[in-house]
Every structure is written in C-alpha cells, then in structure tokens.
Amino acid sequence: MNTRRFPAASFLMLVLLASPALAAETGTPGENNLPAIVVTSATPQQLTERVLGTGIVEPVDEVFVQPLVEGLSIETIEAEIGDRVEKGTVLATLRTDKLLLERSSQMASKARAKANLSQLEAQLKSSEAVLTDARRQYDRAKRLVENGTSTRAALEQAETSALKAQASANAAREAISVAEADLRVTEAQIEDIDLRLARTKIKTPVSGIISDRNARIGAIASGSANPMFTIIEDGAIELVAEVPEDSVMKVRQGQAAHIMLVGAREPINGKVRLVSPVVDEATRLADVFITIEEPESARVGMYASAEIIIEQTSALSLPMTAVNIDGSGATVRRIVDGTVEIVPVSTGIQDGSRVEITGGLESGDQVVAKAGAYVRTGDRVRPVSSENAISD
C-alpha cells in the first residue's frame, strides 16, 4: 500500500515546485486577462504635402505659320512634322514666275519714267535760258524807255515775252515734279514686288518643333486658310492639370511637381508655371499649368497625373487610422501605463497614410492604432505593438 501512494505524493510535490516558474513565464493572472489592443507610436518622420491633379499635355505656346503673299502656288516643302527648326529656317517656297514678270514690267516703266524725266529736265534748262534772255531784253527796254530812246510799246512787248518765258519755265518745273513722283511710284512698286519675292520663302518666326503641316505642293497659299505649319515654340510643353477647388489655393508658381504619364515607369519632373484664377462652375476644378522639364519624355495630347509638392518637413506623425476626426476636432486614444485616455490633437500635413501631429502628443507616445476601436477613457488594456501584431 505504501508503495502505491508514494508516486502520487511525489507528483503533487513536483507540481507545487514548478508553479512559481510557470507563473514567472506567463505573468500575473490579471495582466493576461486584459484585452489586447494594437498600438502605434508617434514618431518624427519626413512628410510631404501634395496636391494631386490630372490633365492633358499641351504646348506652352503654338505659332501658326501663314503665307504673307496671297495667290501664289506652293512650289517646294522643306520641312516635315517632327522637325526641330531654328528661327528663320525656310519651311516652304512659293512660285515666283508671276512676280518676276511683274517686276520686269515695272523695271521697263521705271526706265521710261527716267527717260521722260531727263527730257523734261532738258526742257526746263531751255525754258530757263529763254527766261533769262527775256528778262535781259525787258531790262534793256526799260532803260531805253527811261532814256527816251525807245517806245512804251517796245517795253510792254519785252515784258510780255518775259512773262511767257517765266510761265514756260514754271510749267517745266511742274512737269518734272510729276515725272519724279511717277518714278517714285514705280520704284515703290518694284520694292513691293521685291518684298513679295522675298516672302515667297516661307520662314519660321521662332525656333521650335513642327507639330502640324497643312501645306501641299501645288496648293494656292492663302492667309485665310488653315496654317501652312504649326510650331511648338522652343519645343516647350506642359501639363494642364485640373485641381480641385479646395486644394488649388495651396498651389503657387514655381512649386516642383512629379508627373506620371500613362504607361510610364518613372515620373518626370515639372514646375508650376501659372495657376488659373478661374474655377470652372460646373466641375469645381481649376487649371494648373505645369511645365515639363524634359519635353522629349512626353508628347502633346498624352494623359498624365501630377503630384505638386506644396511643403516638405520633418515632424511628429501618426497613421491616419489612429486619428479620429469629427466636428469637434481631432483626437487619439493614448495608452499610459496600460490605461486609455482620449487626447485632443492638432494636425498638419497629410502625407499618404500618415498625418502630421502639431500638438497634443510627445515623441514616443503610444496610441491605439485604430481610432474606431471600442475602448473608452479609463479602460485597462494590454498594448501590442503594431509591428509585433503584423509579424504574429
């Protein structure tokens, strides 16, 4: 009988000896019974405030190239879509045979006008010589009358001859003035033809990239038709992004932006060129013009999205899920020595899933990771780090 009871007594002794060790490993019964709650810590992090927008890539400035001479047909085309051209480059030429014929005709008219002018100048010299002789005869007759050696009739006849000579000289001078005016008109017409001949070479007024060409060989050039060429000045393009009205007031000229094109793997850099002062009444969106710093990386007409960098700072932050925001403000559930307390906080920049905490917490404070968790002020909980919760 004694041998049968000894094993039971020994087992009971072993259990009693092992109990302190088990208690040390598992903790006190009160702590184990507390509900576990996932917590996160308020930590300083680099935060970036962004404004998002989407839109279409468009040229910064487009220049339409039109003919400056009407009614001439296109003879050659010297440039194509996609060509990069410098200011003054010849893009096309117009036929010049009609203008050259007009110029030849005007040159003949000029020669005739010069010959006529020369003839009139000779006539003027002859008239001035006659006038000089008539005046001399008049002066002589006048002296003879005064001396009593000539008649009054002779004096009057000499005076009439002088007046006729004067009228003839004046008429010659007027004829020369008319001839000189005619010559100037002819020369102006020749200059006009020379200008039109120079304009038969269609040149680009700016440097840039040709984005469209309507010119066709044989077509009649006209300033009222579609532009012969369209040029993106300096090749500069931009994203015209639509931004919500509640964010557009944060956007300023010169702010950096990251532009993501559809299908692209990496964003390209841009800079805000200007912000529209108008918000569309229907869409409640405003246009923001973002210059693309690497225009060769995009094409006009592409769809893209943009992140406009408003502000960057290193500040205390929490996950957005840890902050409860309602009509009275923002609050968090802070854990102090295992006890829950609701603390009002002030927030700042929101960067993705995190939000800046500008007041109410200190670095390292633990708060409930899910703001909607059903815990109240004064509740006792067993905090579990969010990192440990994920690893578990």
Side-chain angles (χ1 to χ4, degrees):
M1 290 296 289
N2 291 338
T3 58
R4 291 178 180 177
R5 282 197 295 266
F6 180 76
S10 299
F11 178 75
L12 180 60
M13 183 65 68
L14 288 174
V15 169
L16 292 174
L17 292 173
S19 295
L22 291 174
E25 291 182 2
T26 60
T28 62
E31 290 180 353
N32 290 335
N33 292 332
L34 293 176
I37 195 79
V38 178
V39 298
T40 186
S41 298
T43 56
Q45 288 195 5
Q46 188 71 25
L47 299 175
T48 302
E49 184 178 14
R50 301 173 174 87
V51 168
L52 304 181
T54 59
I56 304 295
V57 177
E58 297 181 5
V60 175
D61 283 306
E62 278 188 317
V63 176
F64 297 145
V65 180
Q66 293 280 44
L68 300 177
V69 183
E70 294 282 343
L72 301 179
S73 62
I74 300 173
E75 187 172 31
T76 64
I77 292 177
E78 307 293 340
E80 283 295 340
I81 293 175
D83 288 352
R84 181 174 286 275
V85 294
E86 299 298 325
K87 181 179 180 179
T89 300
V90 176
L91 305 180
T93 60
L94 307 180
R95 293 185 65 88
T96 59
D97 46 359
K98 180 181 178 182
L99 292 177
L100 291 174
L101 182 61
E102 290 183 16
R103 192 178 192 280
S104 297
S105 176
Q106 292 297 329
M107 289 299 292
S109 298
K110 180 181 178 180
R112 287 194 301 270
K114 281 186 173 182
N116 183 49
L117 179 60
S118 298
Q119 184 178 7
L120 292 173
E121 288 173 344
Q123 292 177 359
L124 175 61
K125 289 180 180 180
S126 176
S127 298
E128 288 177 340
V130 172
L131 175 60
T132 300
D133 182 67
R135 285 176 175 174
R136 187 169 56 249
Q137 293 295 332
Y138 171 74
D139 291 340
R140 181 172 177 273
K142 186 177 180 180
R143 287 195 300 270
L144 291 174
V145 170
E146 290 175 352
N147 294 333
T149 57
S150 180
T151 64
R152 190 74 183 176
L155 178 60
E156 291 176 354
Q157 184 178 1
E159 184 180 10
T160 301
S161 297
L163 291 174
K164 288 181 178 180
Q166 180 68 55
S168 178
N170 290 339
R173 291 189 186 94
E174 291 295 331
I176 288 174
S177 296
V178 172
E180 287 175 341
D182 290 341
L183 180 59
R184 287 194 295 269
V185 169
T186 302
E187 290 175 340
Q189 290 174 340
I190 293 173
E191 291 176 357
D192 179 67
I193 293 172
D194 288 341
L195 178 61
R196 286 190 287 163
L197 280 169
R199 288 176 172 177
T200 57
K201 294 181 178 180
I202 309 300
K203 299 179 180 180
T204 169
V206 297
S207 300
I209 297 176
I210 298 175
S211 61
D212 192 19
R213 174 177 73 85
N214 293 308
R216 299 292 183 269
I217 293 178
I220 302 299
S222 173
S224 60
N226 291 329
M228 294 180 66
F229 297 89
T230 302
I231 297 176
I232 301 174
E233 186 172 1
D234 296 326
I237 57 178
E238 63 187 0
L239 174 66
V240 183
E242 294 181 325
V243 173
E245 64 177 337
D246 59 353
S247 301
V248 72
M249 297 306 296
K250 301 176 183 178
V251 182
R252 296 288 184 271
Q253 183 180 5
Q255 290 174 337
H258 302 306
I259 300 169
M260 181 63 73
L261 299 167
V262 172
R265 295 183 178 180
E266 298 291 335
I268 57 179
N269 295 325
K271 184 175 291 186
V272 176
R273 183 174 68 89
L274 59 87
V275 182
S276 172
V278 178
V279 173
D280 187 275
E281 295 182 359
T283 64
R284 313 312 304 171
L285 300 173
D287 290 336
V288 174
F289 299 83
I290 305 171
T291 301
I292 296 175
E293 296 181 355
E294 303 170 9
E296 65 277 2
S297 302
R299 294 292 183 270
V300 172
M302 282 185 167
Y303 182 82
S305 59
E307 289 185 351
I308 302 170
I309 307 304
I310 304 301
E311 182 183 355
Q312 289 181 317
T313 184
S314 179
L316 202 66
S317 70
L318 284 173
M320 281 292 297
T321 57
V323 182
N324 181 62
I325 300 177
D326 54 27
S328 59
T331 58
V332 297
R333 290 171 170 81
R334 182 168 59 185
I335 308 298
V336 179
D337 297 330
T339 302
V340 176
E341 60 179 15
I342 297 179
V343 179
V345 295
S346 53
T347 60
I349 295 173
Q350 181 179 341
D351 184 1
S353 62
R354 299 191 70 85
V355 62
E356 178 187 8
I357 303 299
T358 59
L361 293 179
E362 299 292 337
S363 179
D365 283 354
Q366 288 188 331
V367 301
V368 177
K370 302 290 185 181
Y374 188 70
V375 289
R376 295 169 299 181
T377 298
D379 286 352
R380 296 279 297 166
V381 296
R382 180 165 55 91
V384 178
S385 171
S386 57
E387 290 81 4
N388 294 338
I390 293 173
S391 62
D392 291 344

